[in-house]
Amino acid sequence: MKNLNKVIIAFLLAGFIASTGCNKLDINIDPNNPLVEKANAESLIPSGVVSTAGRVGGDLSIVGGLWAQYWTQNNSSSQYISVDTYDVPNSSAFINGPYQELYSGALADYQLAIEKAVAAKDWRYNLMATVMRAYTYQVLVDLFDKVPYTEALKVGTFLQPKFDDGYTIYKSLIQEIDAALAKDFLNTPHLATDTRIDLVFGDNGNASFEDQMENWERFANTLKLKMYLRMAYVKPAEAEAGITAMYDGDTNFLNTNAGVSGYQNVPNKSNPLFEYNFRRLNTTDNLKASVTLVSWLEQNADPRAQVYFGVDSPVPAINQGDFWNQSNHPEYFDAVVPVIAPTAPVWFITKAESCFMQAEFLERYYGGDNAESKYNDGVIAAFTSLGLASPTDLLAGPYKYPKNANLETKIEKIIVQKWASLFGSHALEAFFEQNRTGYPKISPVYSTEPGYQPGTLVYASRGVTGEGNFPRRLVYPDYEKSRNTNTPAEVPIYTKVWWGK
């Protein structure tokens, strides 16, 4: 997948290179390995963004979708058996590839971009790179719990960087975002060519400078909100203090989607999940619809079933992890694959997700004032982003907000709707949120047994970790263990990370 990411990065940067003209080529410099001192923020930031999107929206979304139970392993193939059975060793490409790429690709680019931007006092690029660096580190912490941070990305200084705990990293990331927000990032308006390099909010060069930077500010604020909410169960006082300071200070959060949307239906230029799972494999049906999600969509007559899986209800699906059991379930041969368009965006945070986060903190810290409105906005945004009509009937029926219920019932309603909205290249976030909140709930019985409640997670029937031991993290990759003696001792994959409920 690393080579694939390089191709996609090259493609997305091509428009920028073409728009800024050509310089004379120095034949003594390898164009594939330019000198570090020649790099600038304008080239480093888009390269890093696509690197992050390629992993979070590619192979990690496959893992997230399997463990959030949107899809499961096909009954007649074997591509993702290790992930679907929770048997993911240190040597797995699903661990080593993302870890290596996010450090040596994305984070290295953001770090150098920040250094270049600070030296030039270009606070617009400093904000962009700081936010993307924080987002990428947050993903790594949520996957591994402890990762190199304070001694990382310092070439030639720390060859074996120490591992910092996730809580310490979170606090540092929030401080770094605050410092970037405190700078005058509006001091140097973009030219049209500058706007084109912003793959998140640049709108292919059509965004105004004011709208672009406002969205980066909102993205920064919403990322901070996400990190504070991760602390809600383990650092409740700190989470409340951080969020109330933001809200009482009239902080603005995302009201649009943040992510990469410049993909094309061309080999090596398409959505990374499509490229990884469909275009480049020997079969296009390694993933099949999971009964867990399908049963919930069908129970609620939710039209997203057709968008997610390409067929109207009933959607043929496989019980999670029950592949190769077709002798008892011949209907598995009719199970459908998830629909992932080659041009589908990779979102880092969506408008719907932002609304659901706001609904949650309004319930937790403001007595529910305006929480129902934000919840409804989130549900509506989740539907309209898929080209569906506003779900008026569902919001008056099964999706109606339980405003008279207790706090945890309301939180469950919010998080389950968030889970239903994160399908596709944003699936990793659904895995994280289930670990944080416990929602969707875990079923006491398997999905084929009496009493199963649609939409509750089941332990994969072929899981190897022991009944009820769901994955909560990734183990450290061989890539790091073989190079760094500071790598922490191994813990089981079902050990929760620092913020886990």
Side-chain angles (χ1 to χ4, degrees), residues 248-291:
D248 294 347
D250 296 324
T251 297
N252 293 317
F253 302 106
L254 275 173
N255 56 7
T256 189
N257 298 328
V260 177
S261 57
Y263 301 108
Q264 297 181 14
N265 186 13
V266 178
N268 303 322
K269 301 179 181 181
S270 59
N271 170 282
L273 176 53
F274 178 88
E275 196 74 27
Y276 190 101
N277 181 65
F278 294 100
R279 195 189 301 277
R280 288 186 163 238
L281 295 181
N282 60 338
T283 177
T284 59
D285 60 358
N286 281 293
L287 295 174
K288 289 296 183 79
S290 172
V291 166

Side-chain angles (χ1 to χ4, degrees), residues 354-364 368 370-376 401 411 414:
S354 174
C355 291
F356 291 134
M357 284 192 279
Q358 292 174 68
E360 180 179 350
F361 84 68
L362 289 169
E363 282 295 350
R364 289 189 184 279
N370 205 38
E372 181 178 12
S373 176
K374 286 297 181 183
Y375 165 85
N376 289 342
Y401 193 69
I411 299 300
I414 293 167

Side-chain angles (χ1 to χ4, degrees), residues 175-188:
Q175 291 171 357
E176 290 166 8
I177 292 172
D178 284 340
L181 287 171
K183 299 293 186 181
D184 183 12
F185 50 83
L186 299 176
N187 67 339
T188 308

Side-chain angles (χ1 to χ4, degrees), residues 178-389:
D178 284 340
L181 287 171
K183 299 293 186 181
D184 183 12
F185 50 83
L186 299 176
N187 67 339
T188 308
H190 283 328
L191 302 175
T193 51
D194 298 324
T195 306
R196 290 191 188 97
I197 69 107
D198 181 359
L199 303 179
V200 181
F201 297 117
D203 189 24
N204 297 316
N206 296 314
S208 71
F209 173 69
E210 291 76 14
D211 288 346
Q212 184 187 7
M213 297 314 298
E214 179 185 349
N215 282 328
W216 275 105
E217 182 179 9
R218 287 175 179 267
F219 186 10
N221 293 332
T222 311
L223 180 57
K224 283 177 56 184
L225 173 60
K226 180 194 286 189
M227 288 191 281
Y228 278 127
L229 284 173
R230 290 277 203 264
M231 304 180 193
Y233 292 101
V234 294
K235 301 285 184 182
E238 189 168 341
E240 180 175 1
I243 291 172
T244 55
M246 295 174 71
Y247 189 64
D248 294 347
D250 296 324
T251 297
N252 293 317
F253 302 106
L254 275 173
N255 56 7
T256 189
N257 298 328
V260 177
S261 57
Y263 301 108
Q264 297 181 14
N265 186 13
V266 178
N268 303 322
K269 301 179 181 181
S270 59
N271 170 282
L273 176 53
F274 178 88
E275 196 74 27
Y276 190 101
N277 181 65
F278 294 100
R279 195 189 301 277
R280 288 186 163 238
L281 295 181
N282 60 338
T283 177
T284 59
D285 60 358
N286 281 293
L287 295 174
K288 289 296 183 79
S290 172
V291 166
T292 304
L293 175 61
V294 165
S295 64
W296 185 85
L297 293 170
E298 292 183 340
Q299 179 189 56
N300 296 299
D302 192 316
R304 285 178 290 187
Q306 207 285 332
V307 177
Y308 290 165
F309 299 109
V311 296
D312 293 323
S313 297
V315 176
I318 296 175
N319 293 287
Q320 192 70 34
D322 197 35
F323 51 87
W324 298 350
N325 192 19
Q326 54 263 33
S327 59
N328 293 323
H329 293 278
E331 70 276 10
Y332 284 179
F333 286 106
D334 297 322
V336 297
V337 301
V339 174
I340 307 295
T343 57
V346 173
W347 299 128
F348 302 136
I349 300 179
T350 65
K351 176 182 178 179
E353 190 181 352
S354 174
C355 291
F356 291 134
M357 284 192 279
Q358 292 174 68
E360 180 179 350
F361 84 68
L362 289 169
E363 282 295 350
R364 289 189 184 279
Y365 311 125
Y366 291 91
D369 183 36
N370 205 38
E372 181 178 12
S373 176
K374 286 297 181 183
Y375 165 85
N376 289 342
D377 288 345
V379 176
I380 291 169
F383 274 70
T384 56
S385 68
L386 299 173
L388 297 171

